Amino acid sequence: MKSPALLPSALIGAVASARSMTPMAALAGAHLAGRETPGRLVLLGHPVFTAGALAMGVGELFGDKMKSAPDRTVFLGLLARVMSAGIAGAALAPKGREKAGGLLAIATATPLAYATLAGRKRVMRRIGQTKSGLIEDALVVSAGVAVVAWALNRRG
């Protein structure tokens, strides 16, 4: 059974809902490994942006554990999710369907940011900010890498 063509775009949007920089970092890693995306990879074709995406992905993982870290639903947090999801969703969409893939990723990331925040806060009350963040990191980073790997391997 063949999965819908834009499913990777929706899934990477879900990843962006929890970690805004993970989709770009996963794509940057794939780019460094010489993998090509089905859709046009905006910005990450340039080495400075590739390095920046990886650095921001790692930085976000550390910053999330700080007591002063803002909620992911503040304006700048949502803006980062929209931008990252849009670029990654477009890159993982089939050639010629980049706009639809980007829009679908954004439409997935934005409302899920509120849902993932609510879930994180619930877990944070039980086990604390650092532990809940590390668990979320493991799940989200694994999901981001898996979605990108799956999307790049399913191209035909």
Side-chain angles (χ1 to χ4, degrees), residues 44-103:
L44 287 178
H46 193 282
V48 171
F49 287 104
T50 299
L54 290 169
M56 289 175 70
V58 170
E60 181 180 37
L61 298 179
F62 286 104
D64 177 66
K65 311 310 169 291
M66 297 172 53
K67 297 284 183 206
S68 61
D71 286 346
R72 63 192 70 177
T73 56
V74 299
F75 175 75
L76 289 178
L78 286 175
L79 180 61
R81 279 161 179 70
V82 165
M83 293 171 53
S84 178
I87 292 169
L92 296 181
K95 192 166 188 69
R97 300 197 58 201
E98 292 93 346
K99 185 175 181 179
L103 290 173

Side-chain angles (χ1 to χ4, degrees), residues 25-36:
L27 284 170
H31 178 72
L32 287 175
R35 302 298 308 274
E36 290 188 29

Side-chain angles (χ1 to χ4, degrees), residues 12-24 57 60-61 64-65 72 81 84 116 120 129 132-138 140-141:
I12 206 68
V15 168
S17 76
R19 291 289 178 275
S20 61
M21 295 296 117
T22 296
M24 299 300 286
E60 181 180 37
L61 298 179
D64 177 66
K65 311 310 169 291
R72 63 192 70 177
R81 279 161 179 70
S84 178
T116 58
R120 170 75 185 278
Q129 183 173 3
S132 64
L134 291 171
I135 291 167
E136 190 177 41
D137 288 347
V140 174
V141 170

